[in-house]
Amino acid sequence: MTLEKSFFFGPHKICPTQIFYGSKFAYGLVNLKPIAPGHVLVVSKRPVARFTELTPEEVSDLFISAQHIGRVVEKEFSGDSLSVVVQDGPYAGQTVPHVHIHVIPRRQGDWKNNDEIYDDLNKVDNDDRKPRSALEMAQEANMLREHFPENRC
Ligand code: AMP
């Protein structure tokens, strides 16, 4: 199933081909510059910048969505653990001012020192992190979308 509606992620218009999951208050999109295979984002449908701006229903739906999505990306990308990260505000590393959860499959030894994952999360504009092609992102979203037949966008 292709999700027809596109959404904004902060200032970025997200193409429907990048979106693989939809719930009442949240959507899931593949990452333009993932720091690990299967690094995806779970985004509040309502475009607010800060976590405190979400209602209890939105918080609940966002995290339940992250739980569903985490289960799928951990399995599909052969992880053994997950990093589930919210950078809430610019001084916490947030670069896109729209509430989102990073869900990142983890494996033993993937980062030499575990907390270095945060250094990499914060190197969004680093030259080493080339944006992926629309085709690559669409292929990943197609694969993930198959796991969510109840999508609601
Ligand atoms: P943060 O720095 O916590 O706000 O995270 C922003 C995330 O959004 C990073 O993982 C970026 O790679 C990702 N990102 C930025 N623009 C896009 C986009 N147009 N589509 C998908 N992911 C994006």
Side-chain angles (χ1 to χ4, degrees):
M1 176 178 64
T2 301
L3 305 174
E4 296 301 335
K5 202 167 158 191
S6 49
F7 291 98
F8 275 87
F9 174 41
H12 310 292
K13 187 163 191 239
I14 300 298
C15 188
T17 55
Q18 251 183 278
I19 297 173
F20 63 87
Y21 173 92
S23 64
K24 188 169 180 191
F25 295 119
Y27 70 91
L29 81 153
V30 298
N31 202 320
L32 183 66
K33 295 178 175 181
I35 62 168
H39 172 193
V40 297
L41 303 170
V42 191
V43 183
S44 159
K45 280 187 178 172
R46 199 160 58 86
V48 293
R50 298 297 308 276
F51 191 57
T52 52
E53 294 175 87
L54 296 180
T55 66
E57 291 78 16
E58 287 171 321
V59 171
S60 169
D61 186 41
L62 188 71
F63 272 88
I64 289 169
S65 298
Q67 188 184 48
H68 290 325
I69 290 170
R71 206 173 277 133
V72 168
V73 293
E74 182 174 332
K75 184 159 180 282
E76 285 300 322
F77 291 89
S78 308
D80 301 304
S81 300
L82 289 172
S83 286
V84 178
V85 179
V86 180
Q87 307 203 101
D88 183 28
Y91 304 113
Q94 185 185 37
T95 56
V96 178
H98 185 155
V99 177
H100 55 283
I101 305 177
H102 296 258
V103 179
I104 308 167
R106 300 295 307 271
R107 292 174 207 85
Q108 189 175 28
D110 53 1
W111 270 267
K112 192 162 166 242
N113 298 305
N114 195 48
D115 284 351
E116 286 172 2
I117 190 172
Y118 298 105
D119 296 335
D120 284 355
L121 264 182
N122 288 316
K123 288 179 193 155
V124 176
D125 294 323
N126 188 309
D127 283 347
D128 294 343
R129 287 183 60 188
K130 302 279 180 233
R132 296 196 294 169
S133 70
L135 177 63
E136 187 182 349
M137 290 193 288
Q139 285 171 339
E140 185 177 294
N142 282 343
M143 181 277 286
L144 292 174
R145 205 177 293 123
E146 296 291 315
H147 292 274
F148 302 105
E150 303 302 316
N151 267 327
R152 173 175 176 175
C153 268

